[in-house]
Amino acid sequence: LNAASTAPVAWTAEQLLIYLRKGFVEPHGVAAGPMRDIPNNLGEAPADDVKAIAEYVGSLLAPATAGRSERRRGPEARPEGPNASAEPTSTVGQGGAASRDAATIYAGACAGCHEPSGQRFSAMGIPLADSKVIAMPDPRNLIHVVVEGIEPPDGTPTASMPGFGAAFTQEQLAELAKFLRAQFSDQPPWKDMEKRVNDVLRGTP
Amino acid sequence: MVTLNVNGRDQRIDADGTTPLLYVLRDDLGLNGAKFGCGLGQCGACTVLVDGRPVFSCITPLAALQGRRVTTLEGLGTLEKPGLLQRAFIDEQAAQCGFCIPGMIMRAQALLQANASPSDREIREHMQTWPNPRLIGNSALAA
């Protein structure tokens, strides 16, 4: 949350409050993984207490986000769609078939919910250029999201993200993660992706 | 061009790699068991097995399927000779309107292939894409 964060979108205290209370806030998306239960549970807590949490966390992050905001890519830098992907893929992999397929798999499986031209209106998948897990130093969260999907907290307006752990092979998952990293973040490539994917599939922490 | 094995037969499919498996099955191969429900991987009416595991075919692009093994409802049995699980769904009258039953059967099939005698809880967890797991659980147990 502070200056060390690689997340492309900084938080505000107001967004934190909505996130903690409702489990979903634009442009950050839903509370997922271990955070999923927090909004459900905080729904039981007095509103003032949740507000105090949001304000305290907000006070920690407020002065530190300026540098990060600069790093955030402007809308003009965003890829216009899956067809804009030809260039980045060449920087991603070793040019194997799976590496080339990653852009196609993205267009066929992900773009529908994550790009405005698809069904984003009903699914409410966040634009991936705003994604935190794609910009993180460690790929583990992204791999978990793609493999297992996201079940949003109760009462959020978003669709569940289905998991793709059965649909894609280990190699396809690794290449897709590399593609997403190159396409939607300004961070350096992750290393040993096949092994990292394998670790998640085997449940290795 | 992608070659995949559907219900035991190799099929060469000439379609854009982004084409959903569901469209390939229904439009190119005439296998109409899997249904289009939501198109977002939510409802499960399009569920088929890929390498023995359940996937939403409406959001599984053809490009991911080179050399892989797909099983659809049609791969379990025929009208004259239904598969074990299909028989169980008929015997237990588990079909409601019927539209999403192929997806339910395929998801249940995946569970039974991995675990021949699942507990009620395992059934419920596995089938949770759908609103009435108890009913499905009973018919799956019967099989």
Side-chain angles (χ1 to χ4, degrees):
Chain A
L1 288 171
N2 64 17
S5 168
T6 55
V9 189
W11 286 86
T12 66
E14 292 74 24
Q15 289 167 349
L16 276 169
L17 179 60
I18 298 170
Y19 176 78
L20 291 173
R21 293 276 288 169
K22 309 278 187 194
F24 171 79
V25 64
E26 295 271 19
H28 298 281
V30 294
M35 280 303 291
R36 181 182 181 276
D37 290 333
I38 306 297
N40 290 343
N41 293 341
L42 285 180
E44 311 281 324
D48 279 353
D49 286 0
V50 183
K51 192 151 180 272
I53 296 172
E55 279 174 8
Y56 171 68
V57 177
S59 75
L60 298 180
L61 60 83
T65 50
R68 193 162 28 134
S69 304
E70 280 170 31
R71 285 212 300 274
R72 189 184 175 204
R73 306 210 266 166
E76 69 282 6
R78 296 242 186 103
E80 279 161 20
N83 294 335
S85 62
E87 195 53 36
T89 41
S90 60
T91 67
V92 175
Q94 304 76 22
S99 158
R100 285 194 302 276
D101 284 346
T104 311
I105 286 176
Y106 165 79
C110 319
C113 295
H114 286 286
E115 297 211 1
S117 54
Q119 305 210 46
R120 186 173 180 264
F121 178 75
S122 52
M124 299 187 79
I126 64 165
L128 294 183
D130 291 347
S131 166
K132 291 161 187 60
V133 295
I134 290 174
M136 279 179 174
D138 191 306
R140 212 174 330 177
N141 284 27
L142 174 65
I143 299 168
H144 275 289
V145 167
V146 176
V147 167
E148 294 150 28
I150 293 177
E151 183 67 31
D154 300 340
T156 50
T158 61
S160 301
M161 173 175 159
F164 290 88
F168 301 154
T169 64
Q170 187 173 314
E171 186 186 17
Q172 288 166 349
L173 289 165
E175 293 298 331
L176 179 63
K178 288 197 256 180
F179 167 80
L180 296 173
R181 178 78 160 179
Q183 182 78 358
F184 295 106
S185 85
D186 54 5
Q187 299 295 309
W190 285 310
K191 295 187 172 64
D192 301 326
M193 281 309 292
E194 287 252 8
K195 180 183 178 306
R196 302 306 304 273
V197 169
N198 190 35
D199 287 347
V200 169
L201 293 177
R202 286 167 179 275
T204 311
Chain B
M1 186 75 79
V2 170
T3 302
L4 63 166
N5 185 288
V6 181
N7 299 332
R9 289 178 59 179
D10 281 345
Q11 302 280 1
R12 284 164 62 83
I13 306 296
D14 187 13
D16 190 277
T18 62
T19 308
L21 171 60
L22 178 65
Y23 297 179
V24 171
L25 294 174
R26 294 180 60 89
D27 299 343
D28 294 311
L29 302 178
L31 297 169
N32 292 321
K35 301 290 189 288
F36 184 95
C38 65
L40 292 170
Q42 308 285 304
C43 74
C46 67
T47 302
V48 300
L49 306 190
V50 173
D51 294 334
R53 297 170 67 197
V55 305
F56 298 119
S57 65
C58 73
I59 51 163
T60 301
L62 182 63
L65 297 168
Q66 172 59 42
R68 301 183 71 192
R69 189 165 48 86
V70 177
T71 310
T72 71
L73 185 74
E74 292 86 346
L76 300 188
T78 61
L79 201 57
E80 295 74 29
K81 208 169 170 227
L84 264 181
L85 190 55
Q86 290 169 314
R87 183 80 253 164
F89 267 71
I90 297 167
D91 291 346
E92 297 290 321
Q93 302 188 33
Q96 293 155 46
C97 89
F99 188 81
C100 61
I101 292 295
M104 294 196 193
I105 291 179
M106 295 316 291
R107 182 163 289 261
Q109 178 77 21
L111 174 64
L112 292 172
Q113 283 176 4
N115 178 359
S117 52
S119 68
D120 260 22
R121 188 182 158 175
E122 286 168 330
I123 293 169
R124 226 167 288 225
E125 278 173 8
H126 181 85
M127 300 298 296
Q128 66 183 349
T129 310
W130 290 285
N132 195 346
R134 181 77 214 175
L135 185 61
I136 306 315
N138 288 342
S139 31
L141 277 176

